[in-house]
């Protein structure tokens, strides 16, 4: 049988090294799915196109993001998602924005109605090119078979080169046509399934200017983002050389040694007191592969002279008034920068001791917060205990909400582990899809999902069905979904108090009861319900020894304060005002305990 356009689509994905496709079926894409069946690329059916999209994004994060494009031949094991037209395409948008905002390459293949019906307001007909106009770094509708190969190649190459989502739209009738290859005649372009990341290093004058700035500074801080994921060794060497404090963005957290006494932790509202202190005191800031939006936690403009390293020149100076911008790949740029430094290591002893004091204070604070008694389980204690027992090669997936605070503050990621979340978009419901993608990619490694009950009720409950359908195929069946169940959209409740000065709005914030552990058992998984007073060490030991996926339903305290580091009097008064209006005595007591702990330790 002659190859159809749909068969060639599958063949081209194989040429590019695609190992898995996520999605959901529908009439507009069924011809392609039949080709997937014939072609043998594994297909993962999610319960919703948005979840399939999150899986594709996470697949790229846990493959391309963790191990590097340069390590893969052909170019990358790219996350690919497929959907039908109309509602299926609309459902993809949220996940594609996750890829755009976190700079992740993803390919979406979307069906469309037959070409003769277009423009007639046909069933499920929407303007797909307009729909994806803002989110896609490349989008194109294939009108003829000869157009397919160059469009597929350009889409994947664009996704990889621009670190974003690309969209290929293929009408149903085009999928059913016989394949014509471009022959190189006029307007026909034969293309290749090839792409390699460029090796970009800034010019010598820029390197020397940046080195001189650092040499002249006495209190240096690094802000490390996900762009340093393949430069961990270079970051550590340069930090030791200049006695720098190392702060990370949320996305940069897995890529530094958090056990170092100069590691000040994550920046931002969910960050550490140590990061807030060193950024407030430094006189020089080196931003390495970060575009973190928490601008109020950067050094006050004018306090610190700044250098920024980023592979994308368009991001230089995007968050802070830098003096020197270095457009280049992080590892190579850091090596060149270190080679041009004149100062000898160790001549910033006073700053080093100051940073280590802030870091030691932070570790004492987080330990004492984890020991605060609560009416529910203390979520900081729960995550701190996980940190103590985390398997060396664990894959950690996070949903969005208060669980991210406890990840940022209480979880230390081992060097061989990986951790990802929907960070910049911060969309709830991504946790279980992220964990599934990680587990399907590396079925020999344990996976752990941290989620709140808001994210679970948004999509996690549905995707547990997918877990139940697939776990018996995994070499290592350990897949732990830890649900911090407090019946509250806690992060937003605290935002209502802090930013609005209002009480928690119960009708918008309270979540209905759902028995996550019992539901897991109904699906044939293990389910453990955890009440206050239970031994958290035994809990994690049990969960991580199960020979099937397990759902931990942990009843945490919704009054656990989401207190920003070094909160202002205005922020504190707003939170207390809201709690007083709620007549929430427990919340007021816990908030005051958190404030008193921070002030006592900072003043010690």
């Amino acid at each position: 049988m002659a190859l159809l356009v749909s068969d060639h689509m599958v063949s081209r994905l194989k040429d590019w090294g695609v190992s898995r496709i996520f999605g959901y079926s529908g009439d507009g894409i069924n011809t392609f799915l039949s080709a997937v069946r014939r072609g043998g690329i594994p297909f993962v059916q999610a319960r919703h196109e948005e979840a399939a999209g999150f899986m594709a994004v996470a697949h790229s994060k846990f493959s391309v993001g963790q191990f590097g494009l340069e390590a893969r031949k052909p170019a990358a094991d790219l996350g690919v998602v497929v959907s039908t037209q109309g509602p299926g395409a609309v459902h993809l948008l949220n996940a594609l924005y996750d890829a755009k905002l976190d700079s992740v390459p993803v390919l979406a293949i979307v069906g469309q109605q037959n070409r003769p019906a277009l423009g007639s307001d046909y069933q499920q007909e929407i303007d797909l090119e307009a729909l994806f106009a803002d989110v896609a770094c490349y989008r194109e509708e294939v009108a003829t078979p000869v157009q397919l190969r160059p469009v597929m190649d350009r889409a994947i190459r664009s996704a990889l080169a621009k670190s974003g989502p690309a969209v290929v739209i293929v009408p149903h009738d085009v999928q059913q046509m016989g394949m014509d290859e471009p022959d190189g005649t006029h307007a026909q372009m034969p293309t290749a399934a090839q792409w390699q990341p460029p090796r970009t290093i800034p010019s010598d004058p820029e390197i020397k200017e940046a080195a001189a700035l650092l040499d002249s500074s006495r209190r240096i801080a690094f802000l490390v983002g996900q762009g340093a994921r393949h430069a961990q060794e270079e970051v550590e060497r340069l930090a030791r050389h200049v006695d720098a404090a190392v702060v990370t963005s949320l996305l940069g957290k897995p890529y530094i040694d958090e056990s170092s006494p100069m590691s000040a932790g994550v920046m931002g509202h969910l960050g550490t007191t140590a990061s807030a202190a060193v950024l407030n005191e430094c006189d020089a800031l080196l931003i390495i592969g970060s575009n973190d939006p928490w601008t109020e936690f950067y050094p006050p403009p004018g306090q610190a002279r700044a250098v920024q390293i980023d592979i994308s020149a368009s991001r230089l100076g995007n968050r802070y008034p830098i003096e020197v911008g270095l457009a280049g790949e992080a590892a190579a740029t850091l090596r060149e920068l270190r080679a041009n430094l004149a100062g000898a290591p160790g001549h910033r002893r006073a700053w080093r001791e100051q940073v280590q004091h802030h870091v030691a204070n932070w570790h004492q604070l987080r330990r004492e917060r984890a020991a605060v008694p609560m009416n529910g389980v203390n979520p900081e204690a729960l995550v701190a205990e996980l940190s103590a027992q985390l398997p060396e090669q664990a894959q950690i997936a996070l949903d969005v909400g208060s669980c991210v605070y406890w990840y940022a503050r209480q979880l230390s990621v081992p060097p061989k582990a990986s951790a990802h979340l929907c960070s910049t978009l911060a969309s709830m419901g991504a946790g279980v899809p992220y964990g599934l993608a990680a587990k399907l990619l590396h079925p020999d490694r344990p996976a752990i999902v941290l989620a709140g009950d808001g994210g679970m009720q948004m999509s996690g409950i549905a995707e547990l069905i997918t877990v139940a359908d697939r776990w018996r195929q995994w070499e290592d069946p350990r897949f732990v979904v830890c649900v911090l169940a407090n019946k509250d959209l806690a992060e937003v409740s605290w935002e209502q108090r802090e930013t609005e000065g209002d009480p928690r709005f119960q009708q918008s914030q309270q979540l209905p009861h759902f028995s996550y552990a019992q539901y897991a058992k109904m699906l044939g998984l293990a389910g453990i319900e955890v009440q206050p007073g239970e031994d958290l060490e035994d809990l994690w030991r049990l969960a991580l020894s199960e020979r099937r996926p397990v759902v931990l339903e942990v009843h945490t305290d919704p009054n656990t304060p989401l207190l920003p580091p070094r909160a202002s009097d205005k922020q504190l008064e707003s939170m207390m005002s809201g709690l007083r209006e709620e007549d929430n005595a427990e919340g007021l007591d816990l908030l005051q305990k958190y404030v008193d702990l921070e002030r006592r330790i900072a003043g010690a």
Side-chain angles (χ1 to χ4, degrees):
M1 185 180 76
L3 281 181
L4 302 181
V5 165
S6 56
D7 293 297
H8 186 80
M9 292 165 68
V10 173
S11 176
R12 207 55 173 171
L13 292 175
K14 286 183 172 181
D15 291 342
W16 278 99
V18 170
S19 66
R20 186 170 289 108
I21 298 171
F22 303 91
Y24 207 84
S25 62
D27 60 349
I29 203 67
N30 280 342
T31 306
F32 172 71
L33 290 178
S34 294
V36 171
R37 173 180 55 79
R38 293 191 293 269
I41 299 180
F43 180 77
V44 179
Q45 181 203 70
R47 313 276 61 80
H48 191 283
E49 289 93 349
E50 181 179 291
F54 280 135
M55 291 178 195
V57 176
H59 182 95
S60 285
K61 287 184 177 183
F62 280 97
S63 59
V64 176
Q66 179 69 9
F67 300 108
L69 297 171
E70 66 276 7
R72 296 190 171 271
K73 300 289 182 178
D77 190 354
L78 185 70
V80 177
V81 63
V82 59
S83 83
T84 192
Q85 70 278 333
V90 173
H91 289 163
L92 286 183
L93 272 181
N94 202 42
L96 296 184
Y97 272 106
D98 177 21
K100 177 182 179 177
L101 270 61
D102 275 1
S103 300
V104 178
V106 167
L107 175 66
I109 297 174
V110 183
Q112 178 59 296
Q113 286 293 357
N114 294 334
R115 289 173 300 167
L118 295 180
S120 66
D121 293 329
Y122 202 73
Q123 185 181 30
Q124 293 190 333
E125 181 197 349
I126 60 175
D127 186 342
L128 294 180
E129 291 200 62
L131 178 73
F132 296 115
D134 179 61
V135 72
C137 66
Y138 177 93
R139 73 190 193 286
E140 189 61 61
E141 182 171 310
V142 177
T144 67
V146 77
Q147 185 189 2
L148 177 78
R149 183 167 124 183
V151 166
M152 291 280 288
D153 289 347
R154 289 191 197 105
I156 295 173
R157 197 178 297 114
S158 295
L160 295 169
K162 298 177 182 180
S163 296
V167 178
V168 174
I169 303 161
V170 189
H172 189 201
D173 57 327
V174 175
Q175 297 171 43
Q176 297 172 323
M177 292 179 175
M179 185 60 199
D180 290 329
E181 294 280 6
D183 58 14
T185 57
H186 181 67
Q188 294 198 19
M189 287 159 279
T191 53
Q194 289 291 325
W195 180 79
Q196 292 297 322
R199 294 294 186 183
T200 307
I201 301 176
S203 67
D204 285 344
E206 293 166 329
I207 291 285
K208 292 182 185 302
E209 185 181 359
L213 187 155
L214 295 178
D215 275 327
S216 67
S217 304
R218 305 302 297 178
R219 302 184 305 278
I220 301 172
F222 291 179
L223 173 56
V224 178
Q226 66 169 339
R229 59 181 165 244
H230 308 308
Q232 297 173 56
E233 184 177 342
E234 288 80 4
V235 169
E236 291 173 9
R237 284 182 176 177
L238 185 60
R240 287 195 300 268
H241 187 85
V242 300
D243 289 316
V246 178
V247 174
T248 77
S249 68
L250 185 61
L251 288 171
K253 175 179 166 70
Y255 305 120
I256 58 102
D257 177 9
E258 295 186 283
S259 68
S260 167
M262 297 296 282
S263 175
V266 175
M267 76 169 295
H269 193 284
L270 46 63
T272 71
T273 56
S275 71
V278 300
L279 289 176
N280 192 57
E281 296 168 3
C282 67
D283 67 356
L285 179 66
L286 176 60
I287 304 170
I288 308 168
S290 175
N291 194 37
D292 194 287
W294 287 107
T295 51
E296 65 268 40
F297 287 90
Y298 284 70
Q303 171 194 297
R305 305 177 69 194
V307 177
Q308 183 175 357
I309 299 170
D310 203 290
I311 194 66
S312 172
S314 66
R315 285 195 286 265
L316 296 176
N318 194 42
R319 305 294 189 199
Y320 194 77
I322 62 173
E323 291 187 28
V324 185
L326 302 176
E329 183 266 329
T333 303
L334 289 167
R335 288 192 293 267
E336 290 294 317
L337 186 56
R338 183 167 177 264
N340 280 272
L341 288 169
H347 70 287
R348 299 179 179 87
R349 179 177 177 180
W351 174 240
R352 182 173 69 248
E353 292 176 350
Q354 188 174 337
V355 172
Q356 290 177 355
H357 175 71
H358 289 314
V359 171
N361 281 352
W362 161 247
H363 287 308
Q364 181 183 348
L365 177 61
R366 70 180 182 86
R367 285 192 296 269
E368 293 199 27
R369 283 180 174 173
V372 171
M374 297 183 181
N375 286 333
V377 174
N378 183 330
E380 299 210 48
L382 176 72
V383 178
E385 187 56 50
L386 170 61
S387 188
Q389 299 194 44
L390 199 61
E392 184 182 32
Q393 290 190 312
Q395 303 180 99
I396 304 152
L398 295 140
D399 215 304
V400 168
S402 59
C403 61
V404 182
Y405 281 72
W406 319 136
Y407 160 75
R409 295 175 177 180
Q410 293 287 356
L411 193 72
S412 294
V413 181
K416 294 182 181 179
S418 52
H420 292 286
L421 76 160
C422 175
S423 178
T424 313
L425 182 64
S427 175
M428 291 171 60
V432 176
Y434 265 51
L436 260 166
K439 192 65 178 179
L440 292 168
L441 184 67
H442 301 295
D444 59 332
R445 296 170 58 183
I448 298 161
V449 178
L450 293 178
D453 40 8
M456 287 300 293
Q457 291 186 16
M458 189 170 283
S459 69
I461 291 170
E463 292 308 326
L464 285 177
I465 299 172
T466 314
V467 174
D469 182 55
R470 291 186 169 267
W471 72 268
R472 291 175 180 82
Q473 305 167 24
W474 298 337
E475 181 180 337
D476 182 337
R478 288 178 293 173
F479 187 94
V480 181
V481 180
C482 180
V483 186
L484 282 65
N486 56 21
K487 299 182 183 177
D488 187 50
L489 295 171
E491 183 174 10
V492 177
S493 292
W494 281 98
E495 288 170 349
Q496 288 176 349
R497 296 164 183 140
E498 179 187 342
T499 62
E500 312 300 331
D502 288 338
R504 170 184 176 270
F505 181 31
Q506 182 169 332
Q507 288 174 285
S508 74
Q509 300 309 108
Q510 184 168 315
L511 290 166
H513 171 73
F514 185 85
S515 181
Y516 305 95
Q518 289 299 319
Y519 178 70
K521 292 176 182 178
M522 288 173 58
L523 293 173
L525 312 177
I528 303 172
E529 188 172 3
V530 183
Q531 299 289 354
E534 297 192 35
D535 189 309
L536 298 179
E537 181 180 356
D538 288 345
L539 164 73
W540 281 115
R541 187 178 295 114
L542 175 62
L544 291 167
S545 64
E546 284 280 356
R547 300 307 297 171
R548 65 177 58 211
V550 57
V551 174
L552 296 178
E553 180 183 346
V554 187
H555 294 280
T556 57
D557 194 329
N559 286 310
T560 310
L562 299 188
L563 187 66
R566 307 179 78 173
S568 68
D569 290 342
K570 181 179 178 181
Q571 288 172 309
L572 292 174
E573 179 51 38
S574 290
M575 286 186 274
M576 290 179 177
S577 174
L579 290 165
R580 283 192 292 266
E581 194 170 342
E582 296 169 27
D583 197 21
N584 187 340
E586 184 198 349
L588 280 165
D589 180 61
L590 282 175
L591 179 59
Q592 192 63 57
K593 284 181 179 178
Y594 267 50
V595 172
D596 291 345
L597 278 174
E598 182 175 329
R599 288 175 175 172
R600 174 175 59 79
I601 292 169

